[in-house]
Amino acid sequence: RVDGRTLADVIQGLAAGSEDRAKWSLVRLLGDFVRVCNAVAFAHDFGVVHRDLKPENIMLGRFGEVLLLDWGVARLLDEDEPVATARDDLSPGDAGTGTRAGSIIGTPGYLSPEAAEGRIAEIGPASDVFSLGAVLYELLTLRRAYTGDSVIALLMACMEGPPTDPTIRAPEQDIDPELAGICMAAMRLDPAERTPDAGELARQIQDFLAGRQRHERAVQEMRAAQEAWTASTAAARELEAASAELSALEEATPAWTPRAEKAALLELRQSVRDLGVLRDDAFGAAMLGAERALSHDPRHRAAHELLDRASWILYLRSEAAGNRAEKA
């Protein structure tokens, strides 16, 4: 017995706002999608094309299992078309739900252009890759890649070319451009120009997720670096004010003044030393945090900007102190 929920059900719930977005996070759903791609790649390796990939045929179990269902119209690439397993009764009212309309095998809206045109002999692994792209599109946008009020409208939309870029179609979802590019590459009109195979599509998503994790670690490091930078900047301002006050007090206090009468001066000197240590420690922590962030994400703009500002401040300090070696 197959027990669980379909990906279509989860997507519909997310679109309606009735699903917990924390539970069904994009990272989790992309991980599930990778497992579907691997299942398809496994089938392709044995010469089997699924031909009806869609969210309704992807089951998500309660314990993390991911199952790819409904292989009823699957085809062995080295065999003739299995007419006995295909439906021939799909009407316009069945748009998006059936498996076959005449020579059209699969579900309109998820079919590759070659499948939508009924070019059965050309249907192969690249056709499944296109359908996987359509599933990914829906997962990202919470909308179907193609819409239409009839089977013909859906088929025509698919044959005309790829859908609107996900970032444009659903700007409110804040879709990463890299992820949108992966999706669109899988849905190119020409099979020869699509992502090479389902395994490669899985690897691209995995690389994206790994990059996202590195970026999130970089963000965490930068959050600590920014806090240290703020502390260093505040300490620097206090140090500047305290140093000016100390200079004025030292000028007004003769060297022979009894120590007991220099309490304020001595206390201010200690405060200046403490502020200097605080400024420098926080400054070093900020630079170290930025460097750690770059070790996770070498292109992290905020980390580069912080290190630029820090280097410029060090340059100005060394110039003010007359330290030519440090300045160089």
Side-chain angles (χ1 to χ4, degrees), residues 22-310:
K23 176 182 178 182
W24 297 103
S25 68
L26 179 62
V27 171
R28 174 181 176 176
L29 291 176
L30 287 176
D32 291 341
F33 179 75
V34 165
R35 296 173 70 179
V36 173
C37 290
N38 286 333
V40 174
F42 178 85
H44 289 174
D45 194 52
F46 282 87
V48 177
V49 182
H50 188 284
R51 297 201 297 180
D52 197 19
L53 295 168
K54 55 185 177 181
E56 288 86 345
N57 285 341
I58 297 169
M59 185 72 76
L60 307 178
R62 291 190 300 126
F63 304 103
E65 62 271 39
V66 180
L67 302 171
L68 180 55
L69 311 179
D70 196 357
W71 296 78
V73 295
R75 176 191 179 193
L76 284 170
L77 293 176
D78 58 355
E79 291 185 356
D80 294 334
E81 176 61 25
V83 178
T85 62
R87 283 179 50 198
D88 197 26
D89 58 349
L90 184 62
S91 66
D94 295 323
T97 62
T99 354
R100 179 172 180 137
S103 61
I104 308 301
I105 299 173
T107 301
Y110 299 96
L111 292 173
S112 64
E114 61 272 17
E117 292 182 19
R119 306 196 308 265
I120 295 177
E122 298 178 30
I123 297 175
S127 306
D128 276 353
V129 168
F130 185 97
S131 298
L132 286 171
V135 172
L136 177 59
Y137 189 101
E138 191 168 343
L139 192 155
L140 296 176
T141 64
L142 304 183
R143 297 175 174 87
R144 291 189 176 183
Y146 298 103
T147 57
D149 55 6
S150 69
V151 170
I152 297 301
L154 285 170
L155 296 178
M156 290 300 296
C158 177
M159 288 185 283
E160 288 173 358
T164 304
D165 188 286
T167 59
I168 299 174
R169 179 79 178 281
E172 75 283 356
Q173 298 299 332
D174 193 25
I175 301 167
D176 190 289
E178 180 183 351
L179 201 52
I182 293 172
C183 177
M184 296 302 285
M187 298 186 72
R188 288 178 180 145
L189 195 62
D190 186 347
E193 295 179 357
R194 290 176 203 150
T195 306
D197 53 64
E200 175 59 25
L201 181 56
R203 284 188 289 273
Q204 290 179 3
I205 298 296
Q206 286 175 317
D207 288 345
F208 171 81
L209 290 173
R212 183 188 179 105
Q213 291 172 348
R214 289 193 297 270
H215 177 73
E216 289 175 351
R217 286 195 289 268
V219 168
Q220 292 174 354
E221 293 287 359
M222 275 307 299
R223 190 175 295 118
Q226 292 288 5
E227 290 176 359
W229 182 262
T230 299
S232 178
T233 302
R237 286 196 297 265
E238 292 183 38
L239 178 60
E240 185 178 2
S243 296
E245 184 181 351
L246 177 61
S247 296
L249 189 57
E250 285 178 335
E251 288 182 9
T253 305
W256 56 83
T257 302
R259 183 178 183 83
E261 298 177 16
K262 291 182 179 180
L265 176 63
L266 296 175
E267 184 178 344
L268 189 55
R269 282 177 178 170
Q270 184 60 47
S271 178
V272 167
R273 285 194 290 268
D274 291 343
L275 284 170
V277 171
L278 176 60
R279 180 200 65 177
D280 294 343
D281 284 350
F283 190 90
M287 292 190 70
L288 180 60
E291 289 170 352
R292 284 176 173 170
L294 289 178
S295 71
H296 295 300
D297 182 3
R299 296 180 297 178
H300 199 291
R301 184 179 181 87
H304 282 293
E305 290 177 347
L306 189 149
L307 288 175
D308 287 345
R309 293 197 301 272

